[in-house]
Amino acid sequence: MRIDIITCVPNLLESYFAHSILKRAIEKKLTEVHLHDLRDYTTYKHRQVDDYSFGGGAGMVLMVEPIDRCIQKLKEERDYDAVIYMTPDGERFNQKLANRFSMLTNIIILCGHYKGVDDRVRQHLITHEWSIGDYVLSGGELAAAVVSDALIRLLPGVLSDETSALSDSFQDDLLAPPVYTRPAEYNGWKVPEVLLSGHEANIQKWRYEQSLERTRERRPDLLGG
Ligand code: ADE
């Protein structure tokens, strides 16, 4: 999967892809992430990419032209399966969307900034609009990093144990069960006996019950009655 991220502050995102699991995924060529500085696509002086809102009102708006030029250039080079705009009024991003979109080959993620983008971008250039939660960030960069991370960790070979993404929270609409590691007892705090028993069927059963109990307690909405 290739992800092209369009932003006017690429520095904000660079370090995120330069460490840990995402860095290794890129090095192993399991994914490609390309950051595009919107300011490289403007024809205005001083690398301007935003302007005042027509009709007045506080806040600057990202202009349609540099965004269109950047997207068209990318589209000349390859086909894209989705052009996603990160925005607080988009569809709520979740694990199901992550699973579905991790199967795609090429996607573009556009980060908003300031008051957002000229609405003609949304009307003519964007195929999907996603929010990562009901709060407003100062830009879409963190949201784009969240989405990229959620997609990339699902790609085959990215996680060392390929089954580990399957046992994440939200797969099967259940929260993940608790996990423990050594020592088996610390300060008198004990690891549940069943996990030390070596009895695989009992362990699976215990984990499933714990998942169900956690979900019932913390996120009954996932069980949907
Ligand atoms: N940009 C600003 N806030 C956002 C949010 N909650 N989700 C996605 N993009 C955003």
Side-chain angles (χ1 to χ4, degrees):
M1 158 176 254
R2 173 183 168 123
I3 304 178
D4 288 278
I5 303 180
I6 304 174
T7 164
C8 47
V9 267
N11 295 352
L12 267 182
L13 281 165
E14 264 157 23
S15 70
Y16 197 74
F17 296 101
H19 297 282
S20 188
I21 291 177
L22 299 190
K23 177 188 178 192
R24 278 200 300 280
I26 292 166
E27 281 173 355
K28 286 204 272 178
K29 303 208 182 320
L30 301 171
T31 184
E32 280 181 46
V33 178
H34 298 267
L35 303 178
H36 305 277
D37 187 345
L38 199 53
R39 296 184 194 281
D40 294 340
Y41 294 87
T42 184
T43 54
Y44 289 76
K45 271 191 287 193
H46 311 301
R47 292 166 60 78
Q48 182 185 352
V49 290
D50 58 339
D51 212 335
Y52 295 101
S53 180
F54 276 134
M60 303 294 274
V61 177
L62 287 177
M63 293 187 284
V64 60
E65 187 188 348
I67 295 172
D68 186 38
R69 283 161 55 98
C70 183
I71 291 175
Q72 296 318 327
K73 177 168 176 284
L74 290 171
K75 283 184 172 172
E76 277 165 21
E77 293 162 3
R78 67 196 63 75
D79 290 332
Y80 283 91
D81 305 302
V83 183
I84 303 159
Y85 173 49
M86 300 312 306
T87 175
D89 60 359
E91 177 182 5
R92 177 73 67 81
F93 181 67
N94 59 22
Q95 191 63 46
K96 283 201 175 62
L97 282 174
N99 293 347
R100 221 171 86 213
F101 278 69
S102 70
M103 314 275 193
L104 301 181
T105 309
N106 298 316
I107 64 169
I108 293 174
I109 303 180
L110 171 65
C111 305
H113 227 76
Y114 317 112
K115 270 287 154 198
V117 296
D118 185 308
D119 209 70
R120 287 167 290 185
V121 170
R122 305 174 72 161
Q123 292 165 25
H124 301 290
L125 300 172
I126 296 298
T127 60
H128 300 80
E129 302 189 326
W130 287 350
S131 162
I132 61 163
D134 289 347
Y135 40 80
V136 179
L137 303 166
S138 49
E141 285 73 20
L142 271 176
V146 165
V147 164
S148 302
D149 187 313
L151 298 180
I152 291 169
R153 65 192 295 287
L154 293 175
L155 301 177
V158 170
L159 297 182
S160 47
D161 175 358
E162 271 205 42
T163 58
S164 66
L166 294 176
S167 58
D168 286 343
S169 283
F170 306 113
Q171 302 289 7
D172 305 329
D173 281 335
L174 287 179
L175 299 182
V179 291
Y180 299 86
T181 186
R182 285 190 292 185
E185 182 171 346
Y186 175 78
N187 266 354
W189 305 332
K190 289 186 179 147
V191 169
E193 204 63 49
V194 60
L195 296 178
L196 310 173
S197 69
H199 193 300
E200 191 56 27
N202 284 354
I203 293 171
Q204 289 307 332
K205 181 168 172 281
W206 181 86
R207 286 190 170 142
Y208 178 70
E209 287 164 0
Q210 291 288 314
S211 275
L212 212 53
E213 196 176 310
R214 279 206 165 179
T215 312
R216 228 181 255 131
E217 254 171 44
R218 300 175 186 201
R219 293 293 305 277
D221 57 297
L222 291 175
L223 296 171

